[in-house]
Amino acid sequence: QSPSRSPSKLRKPTNYRKDEKSKPLKEIALIAKNRDERRARQADEKAVKDAILSAEQGNPYWEFLNMINEYRHNIEFQPLRESDIVVDNQITVCVRKRPLNDKEYGKKEVDVITVPTKDILIVHEPKHKVDLTKYLDNQHFRFDYVFDETCNNELVYNFTAKPLVKTIFEGGMATCFAYGQTGSGKTHTMGGEFKGKHQNFNNGIYAYVAHDVFRYLQHSKYKDQNFCVSASFFEIYGKLVFDLLAKKERLKVLEDGKQVVQVVGLTEKVVERVEDVLELIQRGSHERTSGQTSANSNSSRSHAVFQIIIRKFGRNVKNVVGKFSLIDLAGNERGADTFKSNRQTRIEGGDINKSLLALKECIRALGKKGTHCPFRGSKLTQVLRDSFIGEKSRTCMIALISPGVASCEHSLNTLRYADRVKELVANDVDEL
Ligand code: ADP
Ligand code: MG
């Protein structure tokens, strides 16, 4: 069984399928085995760390930790596997939980997120009764997929953005959003995995999409179509738009009488191979974070939009065939913090809130035919307008959450938002 075969086999180019089929079964079995071993090893390491934690007198959460461990002890885990079927949805909403990091372990953070199956996630919210007895409020959520802390970027890609690549060859628009609080793993997922401060741009969703776009181009169906691939990278900061491929030059957004929205002067570089794209990703990412000191910097207050565009040469013109927009959204924590912050931060928080609310409504409208898409609600939805219309448009949201108890409120906010983007019925959930 191929690891990522989608149910709509007919629409995939054949050489691509052959390619996947020819992957030896042994190799697939080996990948699965490695993953199982990695999972087991991580579980062991975590058990040791947990044991140390719960033994520590000073940890105010040790009783909760024991309750969570007991809860987990009674679950038969059936996590997502590489071989699981990738469903062809118009709208896909999923959640990824990152591991606790060393800093959080250092602060005696407790992991309050459990992922029992491939589509269910549980938040163990610590609570107190009136008589101060401690108890857990175990809240269940269901999504298209839930990725636990053992999943890497490639696996996340296979279930989220990968099935959308064919869309842009068939005249549709594709979008993939990373949503979540600052520090939850948005940039890690979209741009590439971090090793300390160094980011590996080869294994982010941007790069994986680029790889697959060039693979599709090789296919006989598209090879002689005069398709031309290009890319742009820009940042939306409040109402302002900056070109990340042109030293953050400020750009204007214009809308003509036919509601066609244009980012005037946006750099669009023709790319001929994956390496060209990687170079642009690297350049734009550095531009985005340059001159910033902490994680709590400008980049967490802006949306980064990376686009891969396919155009077809006609007589003197290059018409857009399809566009894949990949968006590393601003941190969603701003709204919640508005009381404590200064005026500037409050205004920014308001803008971010507004854009995230407009985004949610636009995605919901895409899923319900005939519903109005309120794209003018924010700069973000305005520039992405053509992605939210048309039968062929498809979108995917990856909600990222930090596992620690200190992030519990933010995680619940993120999960509720994602839940509203696509309301999946959570039957059977209570049986767990
Ligand atoms: P965000 O962009 O949402 O603010 P980042 O992507 O910068 O968050 O991630 C914050 C930190 O957490 C980074 O050091 C990153 O390497 C780490 N991290 C995020 N997701 C994961 C993951 N799935 N596995 C391991 N580390 C992760
Ligand atoms: Mg980031």
Side-chain angles (χ1 to χ4, degrees):
Q1 181 78 21
S2 150
S4 57
R5 191 179 308 154
S6 91
S8 69
K9 287 172 202 156
L10 286 175
R11 286 202 279 161
K12 264 189 176 174
T14 40
N15 80 332
Y16 182 71
R17 255 168 56 207
K18 235 190 280 164
D19 204 47
E20 294 225 316
K21 260 190 192 158
S22 66
K23 212 173 193 182
L25 280 174
K26 250 197 219 156
E27 197 183 311
I28 293 165
L30 188 67
I31 293 173
K33 185 167 160 271
N34 284 344
R35 177 128 181 274
D36 286 343
E37 283 173 9
R38 197 166 71 231
R39 208 185 271 286
R41 198 170 58 239
Q42 288 185 3
D44 285 350
E45 286 169 10
K46 190 163 178 302
V48 171
K49 284 183 183 167
D50 280 352
I52 295 170
L53 262 183
S54 60
E56 288 201 45
Q57 290 296 312
N59 184 353
Y61 283 102
W62 70 273
E63 280 172 284
F64 286 117
L65 180 64
N66 287 340
M67 285 186 241
I68 294 170
N69 282 336
E70 199 178 308
Y71 188 101
R72 284 183 184 143
H73 189 70
N74 294 317
I75 293 179
E76 199 183 315
F77 285 87
Q78 286 183 304
L80 183 80
R81 320 197 114 252
E82 275 84 352
S83 55
D84 282 332
I85 291 198
V86 182
V87 183
D88 231 349
N89 293 312
Q90 187 182 24
I91 299 171
T92 298
V93 177
C94 44
V95 175
R96 179 184 199 179
K97 167 199 180 186
R98 70 158 168 79
L100 279 174
N101 58 38
D102 289 343
K103 204 167 142 201
E104 288 164 335
Y105 273 115
K107 282 194 206 154
K108 305 194 172 78
E109 264 276 32
V110 170
D111 173 356
V112 294
I113 307 292
T114 299
V115 182
T117 69
K118 67 177 166 56
D119 59 1
I120 290 172
L121 178 145
I122 305 165
V123 181
H124 308 284
E125 190 182 8
K127 289 218 168 138
H128 293 92
K129 290 186 187 151
V130 210
D131 66 359
L132 296 184
T133 10
K134 298 180 164 85
Y135 72 100
L136 291 177
D137 183 7
N138 301 306
Q139 303 173 50
H140 294 69
F141 293 87
R142 170 177 237 137
F143 298 98
D144 288 309
Y145 309 102
V146 180
F147 306 102
D148 69 20
E149 64 272 35
T150 66
C151 297
N152 61 15
N153 277 354
E154 190 177 4
L155 182 89
V156 173
Y157 170 69
N158 285 340
F159 284 88
T160 54
K162 190 183 175 91
L164 272 57
V165 175
K166 64 172 180 290
T167 304
I168 61 168
F169 282 84
E170 292 166 352
M173 297 289 179
T175 42
C176 175
F177 298 92
Y179 175 93
Q181 82 180 105
T182 300
S184 58
K186 296 181 297 293
T187 307
H188 180 102
T189 302
M190 300 305 269
E193 295 176 3
F194 284 98
K195 280 243 155 58
K197 282 223 149 51
H198 177 79
Q199 191 175 14
N200 180 0
F201 296 105
N202 282 300
N203 64 18
I205 287 186
Y206 299 151
Y208 287 130
V209 168
H211 265 281
D212 277 340
V213 164
F214 285 106
R215 278 219 289 174
Y216 266 72
L217 267 188
Q218 292 304 310
H219 183 252
S220 55
K221 198 166 151 194
Y222 304 117
K223 219 161 51 183
D224 305 316
Q225 292 258 15
N226 280 332
F227 280 168
C228 166
V229 186
S230 53
S232 23
F233 205 173
F234 58 96
E235 186 175 51
I236 303 173
Y237 189 102
K239 293 178 179 60
L240 309 180
V241 177
F242 299 100
D243 194 338
L244 291 174
L245 299 180
K247 301 212 159 66
K248 287 203 190 163
E249 187 194 336
R250 208 183 130 189
L251 304 171
K252 276 209 175 96
V253 177
L254 294 182
E255 189 184 322
D256 68 16
K258 290 181 199 138
Q259 300 195 330
V260 176
V261 180
Q262 216 186 31
V263 185
V264 184
L266 175 65
T267 307
E268 187 179 322
K269 291 256 191 242
V270 171
V271 283
E272 274 162 2
R273 56 190 101 81
V274 174
E275 290 72 30
D276 297 345
V277 186
L278 287 174
E279 207 224 284
L280 297 181
I281 296 168
Q282 182 159 8
R283 187 151 34 113
S285 301
H286 283 149
E287 196 67 61
R288 187 170 187 226
T289 49
S290 67
Q292 299 179 18
T293 43
S294 71
N296 229 3
S297 50
N298 296 336
S299 70
S300 71
R301 300 195 291 265
S302 68
H303 310 298
V305 183
F306 180 74
Q307 293 180 313
I308 294 192
I309 304 132
I310 297 180
R311 290 176 186 270
K312 187 179 167 72
F313 281 101
R315 232 180 277 148
N316 300 326
V317 284
K318 287 186 282 178
N319 290 326
V320 174
V321 176
K323 203 188 274 186
F324 204 140
S325 305
L326 299 142
I327 300 106
D328 183 346
L329 291 167
N332 69 348
E333 66 276 8
R334 304 292 154 193
D337 290 345
T338 42
F339 289 123
K340 293 176 239 157
S341 40
N342 64 29
R343 190 179 131 78
Q344 176 61 19
T345 318
R346 269 203 310 273
I347 293 171
E348 280 171 3
D351 275 338
I352 293 169
N353 257 359
K354 226 198 262 172
S355 62
L356 296 173
L357 288 178
L359 175 63
K360 185 178 72 183
E361 293 313 318
C362 285
I363 300 178
R364 286 169 63 88
L366 177 66
K368 289 183 193 141
K369 279 191 201 99
T371 321
H372 169 68
C373 162
F375 70 95
R376 285 205 192 84
S378 75
K379 203 52 73 183
L380 174 73
T381 46
Q382 198 186 6
V383 299
L384 293 174
R385 176 178 186 265
D386 47 359
S387 302
F388 297 119
I389 44 180
E391 302 251 307
K392 286 182 181 165
S393 291
R394 297 175 68 196
T395 191
C396 155
M397 175 166 285
I398 309 170
L400 286 309
I401 53 171
S402 305
V405 67
S407 303
C408 197
E409 284 269 335
H410 286 313
S411 299
L412 283 167
N413 283 337
T414 299
L415 294 164
R416 287 181 195 126
Y417 176 95
D419 194 50
R420 286 282 292 163
V421 169
K422 177 174 177 178
E423 282 150 308
L424 286 167
V425 187
N427 287 331
D428 337 324
V429 159
D430 295 332
E431 290 165 22
L432 275 164

